[in-house]
Amino acid sequence: MDRFAVASLIFLLLSLTSLQAAETSPQQPLAENISLLDSTGEIHPLAAASPKQARVFVFVTGECPISRGYFPLLGRLDKQWNTPESKVSLRAVWADVTDTPAEIRQFAKEFSIDLPILVDRDGQLGQRFQTKFVPEAFVLDADGKLVYRGRIDDMYREIGRKRPEASENTLADAVAAVVAGLPVKAAVTEAVGCFYESYAPLEDEAAEVTYTRDVAPILYANCVTCHRDGEVGPFSLVTYEDAAKRARQIARVCQSRLMPPWKVAERHGEFEGQRTLTDKQIAVLKAWAATNRAQGDLADMPQLPKFPEGWYLGEPDLIVEMPAEFAVPADGRDLYQNFVIPIDVPEDKFVATVEFKPGAPSVVHHSLLYLDKNGAARMLDERTPEPGYGTFGGPGFLPTGSIGGWSPGKTPRKLPEGLGRLLGKGSDLVMQIHYHPSGKAEKDRSKVGIYFVDKPKQEAFALWTSSFMHDIKPGESDYRLKASYTLTEDVTMLSMIPHMHLLGQTMNVVAHLPDGTTRDLIHVPQWDFNWQDEYVFAEPFQLPKGTQIVSEASYDNSEENPSNPSSPPQRVTWGEETNDEMLYCFFLVTTEKKESIPPMVIDRLTREGIDRAAARLRLKLSSRK
């Protein structure tokens, strides 16, 4: 057996031991009195019994995105429970032993937190409660008996899957039952968050798996693009300490393929900027997390990648910016806000690529850049008092074009020489941004740099498959739908953008060529609405006239789907809103016959308009039954 196999076996044994320990929760976590300081230096005696009928402890950190997202709610509970007349007390427990009280105070100031935060410097409180996750809530009754442990609410059904809003207030309901003298209906629920972690690094440099030799090369090649200071990752992964304190969580999100954020399978050829880990790389991360996280010989340390300062491709030809700052609240639903930006170009231009720069990286999740030459977006914008206007999914109108988009980790690359997307004179740029509240109120003013084609030769334009036949019954877990489009001319395929809403599970797109052969174009085995991207083929390829492009998608409208926006599930049909569904796959193409581009686009838009009108009529008639 090689060293990775041995380490993986150790990881399995340790995992089984961990699971066995988790089966028995402590009955009296504070049987022995203990006093802790909070981050401001105030002393908090913690005894077995208390005059309060319910004592609540919530383990938190300042870096776990799920933990940070709950601070506004904990602040509201603080004002409700931590009062002289209240029968309840609430304390947060800082679960990161590497943070100093000064760092915790600074975080509390930035996030407007008044809640008392106990500093568990030696992890003693975490050991007493046998904490597994962050955030994780615990409720003790007046006698100090543990009567509840688990989640705060059901906003998250699993890591990376956030509902539009919680359907139950799990912690608050448990506290209400204790205060009323009633048993808690569900004394144990599964908390969803980051692993509660502590570690003692090995001194032995001959460890089977080390950071410098085995782990750092993986993180540097796949993670630090986003996980470094000033970028969109919620924490840095540049140093040994950065990685060691999060080792189990890193292994967890990589094993589930939540990270790196790349959602397409590798059976269709290569895409530019692919971010995937091999099974062996994931085994290395798991083994390192399970074997005390040895640092290793510093001589084995790889060189940190060099990242350009400023614009990645140099100064853009044109820089456009949101017209005003947009205020992103500390918590609540994710937002999809569209900002209308007039583009002053004296003539039609062709765009080789764009580079997007988020103004508030902690809350900007991704952006899509649409074009509007008809003034439709301006009219939508005029109806709302805030900067831009909100939609869900699409931009709320039929775009006249697009110049690309951005998602974390995406590196701007120009289209092949002489090829560009049309930016027509008089167009507005509609910058749609997906905002993910982080627990801290932010203000964003993002901008985009546009690079024009020096000597345009060919135009890149969009075609697509779409269906509006959705009618998904409540509880249906494997609803399938197809959409197709037949090419009326030879085209060169450049990139693809799949699109569904929250019930989407998988999408597979195949080209059926006139000679009877097929070609896989893209396969998304685990659709995630939160990670939408444009997938650019590393080597463009031709598809002949008469090729039928078929998109097949599956949807899950059951209670088991953690992203289902409705609880209990409701009937779902096609539409633009959160609780509706869609099936689109856009593909960017070009053709040698420039004169055929307008007829192709007009034909596709005409079909789209007819299909949408038919869908609206069908839904209207079905609602009358």
Side-chain angles (χ1 to χ4, degrees), residues 259-272:
M259 290 286 150
W262 186 262
K263 298 303 176 182
V264 296
E266 298 181 31
R267 75 182 204 195
H268 38 59
E270 184 182 355
F271 289 110
E272 287 188 353

Side-chain angles (χ1 to χ4, degrees), residues 43-266:
I43 300 172
H44 293 259
L46 305 176
S50 169
K52 297 289 186 180
Q53 290 181 274
R55 283 182 290 172
V56 182
F57 297 87
V58 182
F59 284 77
V60 298
T61 68
E63 66 176 35
C64 176
I66 296 178
S67 176
R68 287 196 316 205
Y70 274 109
F71 275 113
L73 173 58
L74 292 177
R76 293 190 289 272
L77 293 176
D78 170 48
K79 291 180 172 59
Q80 177 184 341
W81 288 342
N82 286 332
T83 62
E85 65 277 5
S86 173
K87 299 176 181 179
V88 184
S89 68
L90 170 63
R91 298 291 182 269
V93 183
W94 200 260
D96 188 341
V97 298
T98 67
D99 286 339
T100 66
E103 289 171 329
I104 299 171
R105 288 196 300 273
Q106 180 61 31
F107 178 87
K109 180 180 179 182
E110 291 180 2
F111 278 66
S112 303
I113 302 168
D114 295 324
L115 171 70
I117 302 175
L118 305 184
V119 183
D120 191 25
R121 292 304 294 270
D122 58 1
Q124 183 178 168
L125 211 56
Q127 294 172 14
R128 288 181 176 222
F129 282 93
Q130 296 180 14
T131 309
K132 295 193 296 181
F133 298 103
V134 178
E136 186 170 12
F138 298 83
V139 180
L140 306 183
D141 64 14
D143 297 325
K145 181 182 177 182
L146 180 64
V147 292
Y148 174 78
R149 71 175 295 168
R151 62 178 179 257
I152 297 171
D153 59 29
D154 67 343
M155 180 72 77
Y156 289 87
R157 291 279 296 277
E158 63 182 47
I159 190 168
R161 298 278 185 167
K162 181 184 178 184
R163 289 184 161 192
E165 57 188 24
S167 65
E168 62 179 52
N169 300 310
T170 324
L171 173 60
D173 290 345
V175 169
V178 175
V179 171
L182 301 173
V184 179
K185 290 182 179 179
V188 179
T189 62
E190 187 71 15
V192 178
C194 305
F195 278 132
Y196 176 84
E197 303 204 48
S198 61
Y199 74 101
L202 285 176
E203 297 298 331
D204 181 9
E205 302 301 346
E208 294 289 343
V209 183
T210 71
Y211 170 77
T212 56
R213 182 184 59 222
D214 305 304
V215 174
I218 298 173
L219 301 183
Y220 280 15
N222 298 278
C223 307
V224 300
T225 300
C226 295
H227 287 273
R228 55 192 170 92
D229 290 344
E231 290 299 323
V232 296
F235 46 78
S236 174
L237 288 177
V238 170
T239 69
Y240 164 73
E241 290 76 12
D242 289 340
K245 65 185 284 188
R246 307 173 176 95
R248 288 205 304 145
Q249 186 66 14
I250 293 170
R252 177 192 188 190
V253 297
C254 290
Q255 184 177 20
S256 68
R257 305 288 180 177
L258 182 65
M259 290 286 150
W262 186 262
K263 298 303 176 182
V264 296
E266 298 181 31

Side-chain angles (χ1 to χ4, degrees), residues 492-503:
T492 298
M493 184 71 70
L494 301 171
S495 69
M496 306 192 76
I497 303 177
H499 179 74
M500 297 185 284
H501 284 183
L502 297 170
L503 300 185

